[in-house]
Amino acid sequence: MEAQSGTTPSVHAVKGQQENVEMSFLRPPVVRLGAGAALNRALFTKRVDLAAAAIQSPKVIAHYRKALQTSQEMLKVDRISPIVSHPDKELGAQGRKCILLNPSVKAEEPTTWGPVIQEGIQKEELTVIPYELTLEYDYWTARDTMESVLPPELHDEIPSGFNVAGHVAHLNLRDSYLPYKKVVAEIILDKNPSIKTVINKVDNVGAESEFRTFQYEVLAGEDDLNVSCTENNCSFNFDYSKVYWNSKLEYEHTRIISFFKPGEVVCDVMAGIGPFALPAGKKRVFVWANDKNPESYKCLKANIQKNKVQDFVRPFCEDGLGFIRQATDEVLAASLKGEKVVITKPGPRSKSKKTDKPTTPGFVPEPLKPLITETYPLPPTISHFVMNLPASAIEFVGSFKGIYQLQENLFAPTTKTLLPLVHVHCFALKADDERPLIDICERLTKYLGFPMKPGNIDYNLNGEGEVAVHNVRDVAPAKSMYCATFRLPAAVAFAARD
């Protein structure tokens, strides 16, 4: 509330007043557009009457800015500078500045002027004048603008979150938002400078395409889905309409990659365009990377070369069911042939005496960097299998039966090598109890033919039959994506192949 006549507002009163006023004037105008109507940006202009302290000399601006900020009489609002040019064009041209004041300070009501302002007036260092602050369309956030445009019943789930692939924003709008899809897309395009294209999915991923591609419509911007992305220090180029990519999985990619150690072998059964494989290759991890989608395979090959990991990452275009055994056999055969990667790189410079110029007498040239050679022999066994096809990957685990038939000598206790860790992504019920864990273990048991149970697996020891389930992300109100990690049971790995 405003100060009583003849009194000076306290700091707490001023703060409360400012918070209350900001709740109103920092809201955009209500611009309810009918379904299918075009976005009229001019309707979002809002003018706010404020007071401003007109500073007589630039020498005292810093002093009064600090003093008014301390007394909480200065306007403090995100993305609005409190220092502005004098509204009088002639004085503004001369460089005169004003400090915008808290809305509770009224230019025409001296009783609302605090001690700092009154002191400045007495010293003839400032005056209090009216100031009209203009907030235009560019000021309002995407959420502000959507709440202004959309009817109140749609405010609970404003489509502010979306998947991003390079310059493309990928929406998955609910039916209730479809009448406003063009306006929503225009706002997203306006408020995100890096976005050049906004699309909306018109079917369910995987419902019509085994490669998880989808039908889409361009809602705003260019019809261009050839994108470039960077993730985990790797560059990816691809046609977003032909391959699968989800930027919301970056944390999960990073989490899984953190398990891999240099010199190990990873079999990426559903590799896509390489979000696991390429960063692993940069870690000096051998990767057999496979994807059944010819377009993904094409991009994978190109991105392997682009990121210079061809020594460690090998691309394949096979059905995942057969590739699990194919990769196991090929890795063993290649290791027995002695395949390895040798990397030669410059070592650290040694200290040397040198002068500023080579022509100076007594100049000693800096010695060349010594070369360091790193050798990575290909191991005979695979340390990790990654299966990132959540809709059906669990159904593939039956292919692990017998992958190391008659090869017990490759593993502990004969050697120090443990059986592979398997990371299987899947969908299950969204719940806070153990129902998703139990469901996932029951499905693994069905396809592995070995009893699996929830457990906190130790990634360095053999947790026989134990499954660690990590909640990756929610994908629907009652559905989540999980990653089930388990060490391949010996009874499965060493069984007779079908």
mmCIF file of all heavy atoms in Angstrom, residues 45-76:
data_model
loop_
_atom_site.group_PDB
_atom_site.id
_atom_site.type_symbol
_atom_site.label_atom_id
_atom_site.label_comp_id
_atom_site.label_asym_id
_atom_site.label_seq_id
_atom_site.Cartn_x
_atom_site.Cartn_y
_atom_site.Cartn_z
ATOM 1 N N THR A 45 2.230 -4.183 -26.731
ATOM 2 C CA THR A 45 2.852 -2.971 -26.205
ATOM 3 C C THR A 45 2.093 -2.501 -24.966
ATOM 4 O O THR A 45 0.859 -2.427 -24.961
ATOM 5 C CB THR A 45 2.847 -1.856 -27.263
ATOM 6 O OG1 THR A 45 3.599 -2.298 -28.393
ATOM 7 C CG2 THR A 45 3.475 -0.587 -26.719
ATOM 8 N N LYS A 46 2.850 -2.193 -23.925
ATOM 9 C CA LYS A 46 2.250 -1.743 -22.672
ATOM 10 C C LYS A 46 3.024 -0.538 -22.159
ATOM 11 O O LYS A 46 4.252 -0.539 -22.159
ATOM 12 C CB LYS A 46 2.278 -2.866 -21.633
ATOM 13 C CG LYS A 46 1.552 -2.539 -20.337
ATOM 14 C CD LYS A 46 1.510 -3.770 -19.437
ATOM 15 C CE LYS A 46 0.667 -3.503 -18.198
ATOM 16 N NZ LYS A 46 0.584 -4.702 -17.329
ATOM 17 N N ARG A 47 2.293 0.490 -21.743
ATOM 18 C CA ARG A 47 2.916 1.704 -21.218
ATOM 19 C C ARG A 47 2.621 1.822 -19.726
ATOM 20 O O ARG A 47 1.474 1.693 -19.299
ATOM 21 C CB ARG A 47 2.434 2.927 -21.982
ATOM 22 C CG ARG A 47 2.934 2.941 -23.419
ATOM 23 C CD ARG A 47 2.385 4.100 -24.236
ATOM 24 N NE ARG A 47 3.015 4.140 -25.548
ATOM 25 C CZ ARG A 47 2.640 3.398 -26.582
ATOM 26 N NH1 ARG A 47 1.629 2.556 -26.439
ATOM 27 N NH2 ARG A 47 3.264 3.490 -27.735
ATOM 28 N N VAL A 48 3.686 2.072 -18.962
ATOM 29 C CA VAL A 48 3.584 2.124 -17.510
ATOM 30 C C VAL A 48 4.042 3.494 -17.037
ATOM 31 O O VAL A 48 5.134 3.950 -17.392
ATOM 32 C CB VAL A 48 4.445 1.024 -16.854
ATOM 33 C CG1 VAL A 48 4.278 1.047 -15.342
ATOM 34 C CG2 VAL A 48 4.085 -0.341 -17.414
ATOM 35 N N ASP A 49 3.213 4.159 -16.241
ATOM 36 C CA ASP A 49 3.580 5.473 -15.697
ATOM 37 C C ASP A 49 4.412 5.297 -14.441
ATOM 38 O O ASP A 49 3.960 4.673 -13.459
ATOM 39 C CB ASP A 49 2.309 6.275 -15.377
ATOM 40 C CG ASP A 49 1.556 6.689 -16.635
ATOM 41 O OD1 ASP A 49 2.231 6.922 -17.658
ATOM 42 O OD2 ASP A 49 0.320 6.744 -16.601
ATOM 43 N N LEU A 50 5.624 5.820 -14.479
ATOM 44 C CA LEU A 50 6.543 5.751 -13.348
ATOM 45 C C LEU A 50 7.036 7.149 -13.008
ATOM 46 O O LEU A 50 6.716 8.130 -13.688
ATOM 47 C CB LEU A 50 7.751 4.869 -13.700
ATOM 48 C CG LEU A 50 7.499 3.388 -14.002
ATOM 49 C CD1 LEU A 50 8.783 2.740 -14.478
ATOM 50 C CD2 LEU A 50 6.964 2.676 -12.772
ATOM 51 N N ALA A 51 7.826 7.204 -11.973
ATOM 52 C CA ALA A 51 8.580 8.420 -11.659
ATOM 53 C C ALA A 51 10.046 8.123 -11.890
ATOM 54 O O ALA A 51 10.486 6.967 -11.825
ATOM 55 C CB ALA A 51 8.337 8.852 -10.218
ATOM 56 N N ALA A 52 10.808 9.183 -12.180
ATOM 57 C CA ALA A 52 12.242 9.019 -12.397
ATOM 58 C C ALA A 52 12.989 10.156 -11.719
ATOM 59 O O ALA A 52 12.499 11.291 -11.643
ATOM 60 C CB ALA A 52 12.562 9.003 -13.891
ATOM 61 N N ALA A 53 14.165 9.838 -11.213
ATOM 62 C CA ALA A 53 15.049 10.858 -10.644
ATOM 63 C C ALA A 53 15.935 11.371 -11.768
ATOM 64 O O ALA A 53 16.799 10.644 -12.269
ATOM 65 C CB ALA A 53 15.887 10.261 -9.523
ATOM 66 N N ALA A 54 15.691 12.603 -12.194
ATOM 67 C CA ALA A 54 16.482 13.209 -13.261
ATOM 68 C C ALA A 54 17.766 13.764 -12.653
ATOM 69 O O ALA A 54 17.724 14.677 -11.807
ATOM 70 C CB ALA A 54 15.695 14.317 -13.940
ATOM 71 N N ILE A 55 18.897 13.194 -13.047
ATOM 72 C CA ILE A 55 20.187 13.558 -12.460
ATOM 73 C C ILE A 55 20.773 14.756 -13.203
ATOM 74 O O ILE A 55 20.848 14.770 -14.433
ATOM 75 C CB ILE A 55 21.153 12.359 -12.519
ATOM 76 C CG1 ILE A 55 20.496 11.120 -11.904
ATOM 77 C CG2 ILE A 55 22.450 12.688 -11.806
ATOM 78 C CD1 ILE A 55 20.088 11.264 -10.459
ATOM 79 N N GLN A 56 21.201 15.756 -12.438
ATOM 80 C CA GLN A 56 21.708 16.991 -13.044
ATOM 81 C C GLN A 56 23.106 16.820 -13.631
ATOM 82 O O GLN A 56 23.435 17.421 -14.658
ATOM 83 C CB GLN A 56 21.717 18.116 -11.999
ATOM 84 C CG GLN A 56 20.365 18.400 -11.380
ATOM 85 C CD GLN A 56 19.337 18.822 -12.413
ATOM 86 O OE1 GLN A 56 19.636 19.604 -13.309
ATOM 87 N NE2 GLN A 56 18.123 18.294 -12.296
ATOM 88 N N SER A 57 23.941 15.984 -12.984
ATOM 89 C CA SER A 57 25.327 15.816 -13.440
ATOM 90 C C SER A 57 25.673 14.339 -13.511
ATOM 91 O O SER A 57 25.338 13.576 -12.592
ATOM 92 C CB SER A 57 26.291 16.529 -12.479
ATOM 93 O OG SER A 57 27.645 16.172 -12.773
ATOM 94 N N PRO A 58 26.369 13.919 -14.563
ATOM 95 C CA PRO A 58 26.757 12.496 -14.655
ATOM 96 C C PRO A 58 27.688 12.065 -13.535
ATOM 97 O O PRO A 58 27.826 10.874 -13.272
ATOM 98 C CB PRO A 58 27.438 12.412 -16.032
ATOM 99 C CG PRO A 58 27.828 13.808 -16.376
ATOM 100 C CD PRO A 58 26.808 14.695 -15.750
ATOM 101 N N LYS A 59 28.312 13.035 -12.865
ATOM 102 C CA LYS A 59 29.265 12.696 -11.804
ATOM 103 C C LYS A 59 28.593 12.043 -10.595
ATOM 104 O O LYS A 59 29.258 11.365 -9.810
ATOM 105 C CB LYS A 59 30.019 13.948 -11.365
ATOM 106 C CG LYS A 59 30.906 14.553 -12.450
ATOM 107 C CD LYS A 59 31.619 15.790 -11.935
ATOM 108 C CE LYS A 59 32.511 16.413 -13.022
ATOM 109 N NZ LYS A 59 33.207 17.630 -12.548
ATOM 110 N N VAL A 60 27.294 12.292 -10.430
ATOM 111 C CA VAL A 60 26.625 11.768 -9.233
ATOM 112 C C VAL A 60 25.693 10.603 -9.547
ATOM 113 O O VAL A 60 24.971 10.139 -8.667
ATOM 114 C CB VAL A 60 25.842 12.895 -8.517
ATOM 115 C CG1 VAL A 60 26.798 13.956 -7.989
ATOM 116 C CG2 VAL A 60 24.786 13.498 -9.441
ATOM 117 N N ILE A 61 25.674 10.139 -10.776
ATOM 118 C CA ILE A 61 24.787 9.021 -11.134
ATOM 119 C C ILE A 61 25.102 7.785 -10.304
ATOM 120 O O ILE A 61 24.204 7.150 -9.736
ATOM 121 C CB ILE A 61 24.900 8.693 -12.642
ATOM 122 C CG1 ILE A 61 24.270 9.814 -13.476
ATOM 123 C CG2 ILE A 61 24.200 7.373 -12.949
ATOM 124 C CD1 ILE A 61 24.380 9.594 -14.965
ATOM 125 N N ALA A 62 26.377 7.421 -10.222
ATOM 126 C CA ALA A 62 26.760 6.212 -9.480
ATOM 127 C C ALA A 62 26.363 6.322 -8.014
ATOM 128 O O ALA A 62 25.888 5.350 -7.406
ATOM 129 C CB ALA A 62 28.259 5.970 -9.620
ATOM 130 N N HIS A 63 26.552 7.519 -7.444
ATOM 131 C CA HIS A 63 26.203 7.718 -6.031
ATOM 132 C C HIS A 63 24.717 7.479 -5.799
ATOM 133 O O HIS A 63 24.316 6.744 -4.882
ATOM 134 C CB HIS A 63 26.586 9.139 -5.587
ATOM 135 C CG HIS A 63 25.949 9.546 -4.296
ATOM 136 N ND1 HIS A 63 26.338 9.035 -3.081
ATOM 137 C CD2 HIS A 63 24.896 10.407 -4.031
ATOM 138 C CE1 HIS A 63 25.584 9.553 -2.115
ATOM 139 N NE2 HIS A 63 24.701 10.392 -2.672
ATOM 140 N N TYR A 64 23.880 8.112 -6.630
ATOM 141 C CA TYR A 64 22.444 7.992 -6.405
ATOM 142 C C TYR A 64 21.903 6.625 -6.807
ATOM 143 O O TYR A 64 20.918 6.143 -6.227
ATOM 144 C CB TYR A 64 21.701 9.120 -7.130
ATOM 145 C CG TYR A 64 21.778 10.422 -6.356
ATOM 146 C CD1 TYR A 64 22.592 11.464 -6.782
ATOM 147 C CD2 TYR A 64 21.076 10.581 -5.174
ATOM 148 C CE1 TYR A 64 22.692 12.645 -6.051
ATOM 149 C CE2 TYR A 64 21.159 11.748 -4.430
ATOM 150 C CZ TYR A 64 21.972 12.781 -4.870
ATOM 151 O OH TYR A 64 22.063 13.930 -4.141
ATOM 152 N N ARG A 65 22.533 6.011 -7.753
ATOM 153 C CA ARG A 65 22.092 4.637 -8.093
ATOM 154 C C ARG A 65 22.285 3.726 -6.890
ATOM 155 O O ARG A 65 21.398 2.949 -6.534
ATOM 156 C CB ARG A 65 22.866 4.104 -9.295
ATOM 157 C CG ARG A 65 22.527 2.650 -9.612
ATOM 158 C CD ARG A 65 23.140 2.183 -10.911
ATOM 159 N NE ARG A 65 22.707 0.817 -11.211
ATOM 160 C CZ ARG A 65 22.777 0.245 -12.405
ATOM 161 N NH1 ARG A 65 23.256 0.938 -13.430
ATOM 162 N NH2 ARG A 65 22.358 -0.985 -12.596
ATOM 163 N N LYS A 66 23.446 3.805 -6.265
ATOM 164 C CA LYS A 66 23.727 2.959 -5.104
ATOM 165 C C LYS A 66 22.816 3.315 -3.936
ATOM 166 O O LYS A 66 22.260 2.431 -3.263
ATOM 167 C CB LYS A 66 25.187 3.106 -4.704
ATOM 168 C CG LYS A 66 25.594 2.220 -3.533
ATOM 169 C CD LYS A 66 27.079 2.351 -3.224
ATOM 170 C CE LYS A 66 27.476 1.445 -2.065
ATOM 171 N NZ LYS A 66 28.937 1.586 -1.745
ATOM 172 N N ALA A 67 22.636 4.620 -3.704
ATOM 173 C CA ALA A 67 21.820 5.049 -2.569
ATOM 174 C C ALA A 67 20.360 4.654 -2.755
ATOM 175 O O ALA A 67 19.703 4.169 -1.817
ATOM 176 C CB ALA A 67 21.948 6.558 -2.394
ATOM 177 N N LEU A 68 19.828 4.856 -3.956
ATOM 178 C CA LEU A 68 18.429 4.515 -4.213
ATOM 179 C C LEU A 68 18.203 3.009 -4.224
ATOM 180 O O LEU A 68 17.126 2.528 -3.876
ATOM 181 C CB LEU A 68 17.978 5.132 -5.535
ATOM 182 C CG LEU A 68 17.859 6.666 -5.533
ATOM 183 C CD1 LEU A 68 17.689 7.188 -6.959
ATOM 184 C CD2 LEU A 68 16.685 7.108 -4.649
ATOM 185 N N GLN A 69 19.215 2.274 -4.639
ATOM 186 C CA GLN A 69 19.105 0.813 -4.590
ATOM 187 C C GLN A 69 19.077 0.336 -3.148
ATOM 188 O O GLN A 69 18.289 -0.544 -2.790
ATOM 189 C CB GLN A 69 20.279 0.170 -5.339
ATOM 190 C CG GLN A 69 20.216 -1.346 -5.396
ATOM 191 C CD GLN A 69 21.330 -1.943 -6.228
ATOM 192 O OE1 GLN A 69 22.261 -1.250 -6.624
ATOM 193 N NE2 GLN A 69 21.245 -3.227 -6.492
ATOM 194 N N THR A 70 19.933 0.928 -2.289
ATOM 195 C CA THR A 70 19.968 0.550 -0.882
ATOM 196 C C THR A 70 18.645 0.871 -0.190
ATOM 197 O O THR A 70 18.140 0.076 0.607
ATOM 198 C CB THR A 70 21.124 1.276 -0.173
ATOM 199 O OG1 THR A 70 22.356 0.931 -0.804
ATOM 200 C CG2 THR A 70 21.185 0.890 1.302
ATOM 201 N N SER A 71 18.061 2.016 -0.514
ATOM 202 C CA SER A 71 16.793 2.404 0.100
ATOM 203 C C SER A 71 15.592 1.735 -0.562
ATOM 204 O O SER A 71 14.461 1.937 -0.137
ATOM 205 C CB SER A 71 16.624 3.922 0.022
ATOM 206 O OG SER A 71 16.442 4.347 -1.330
ATOM 207 N N GLN A 72 15.853 0.962 -1.607
ATOM 208 C CA GLN A 72 14.841 0.224 -2.361
ATOM 209 C C GLN A 72 13.823 1.147 -3.023
ATOM 210 O O GLN A 72 12.669 0.792 -3.246
ATOM 211 C CB GLN A 72 14.128 -0.800 -1.478
ATOM 212 C CG GLN A 72 15.076 -1.850 -0.904
ATOM 213 C CD GLN A 72 14.353 -3.015 -0.262
ATOM 214 O OE1 GLN A 72 13.281 -3.384 -0.689
ATOM 215 N NE2 GLN A 72 14.955 -3.585 0.762
ATOM 216 N N GLU A 73 14.281 2.353 -3.357
ATOM 217 C CA GLU A 73 13.427 3.285 -4.095
ATOM 218 C C GLU A 73 13.676 3.198 -5.606
ATOM 219 O O GLU A 73 12.894 3.736 -6.385
ATOM 220 C CB GLU A 73 13.680 4.710 -3.617
ATOM 221 C CG GLU A 73 13.248 4.957 -2.179
ATOM 222 C CD GLU A 73 13.710 6.305 -1.654
ATOM 223 O OE1 GLU A 73 14.844 6.385 -1.145
ATOM 224 O OE2 GLU A 73 12.938 7.270 -1.780
ATOM 225 N N MET A 74 14.763 2.564 -5.998
ATOM 226 C CA MET A 74 15.068 2.412 -7.421
ATOM 227 C C MET A 74 14.296 1.226 -7.990
ATOM 228 O O MET A 74 14.113 0.206 -7.322
ATOM 229 C CB MET A 74 16.570 2.206 -7.627
ATOM 230 C CG MET A 74 17.015 2.138 -9.082
ATOM 231 S SD MET A 74 18.806 1.909 -9.223
ATOM 232 C CE MET A 74 18.949 0.173 -8.794
ATOM 233 N N LEU A 75 13.864 1.337 -9.212
ATOM 234 C CA LEU A 75 13.176 0.227 -9.878
ATOM 235 C C LEU A 75 14.162 -0.925 -10.071
ATOM 236 O O LEU A 75 15.244 -0.752 -10.623
ATOM 237 C CB LEU A 75 12.629 0.675 -11.231
ATOM 238 C CG LEU A 75 11.856 -0.375 -12.026
ATOM 239 C CD1 LEU A 75 10.521 -0.661 -11.357
ATOM 240 C CD2 LEU A 75 11.645 0.062 -13.475
ATOM 241 N N LYS A 76 13.769 -2.081 -9.619
ATOM 242 C CA LYS A 76 14.629 -3.262 -9.756
ATOM 243 C C LYS A 76 13.802 -4.369 -10.405
ATOM 244 O O LYS A 76 13.055 -5.088 -9.741
ATOM 245 C CB LYS A 76 15.157 -3.711 -8.399
ATOM 246 C CG LYS A 76 16.181 -4.827 -8.493
ATOM 247 C CD LYS A 76 16.719 -5.198 -7.118
ATOM 248 C CE LYS A 76 17.742 -6.319 -7.213
ATOM 249 N NZ LYS A 76 18.254 -6.725 -5.881
#
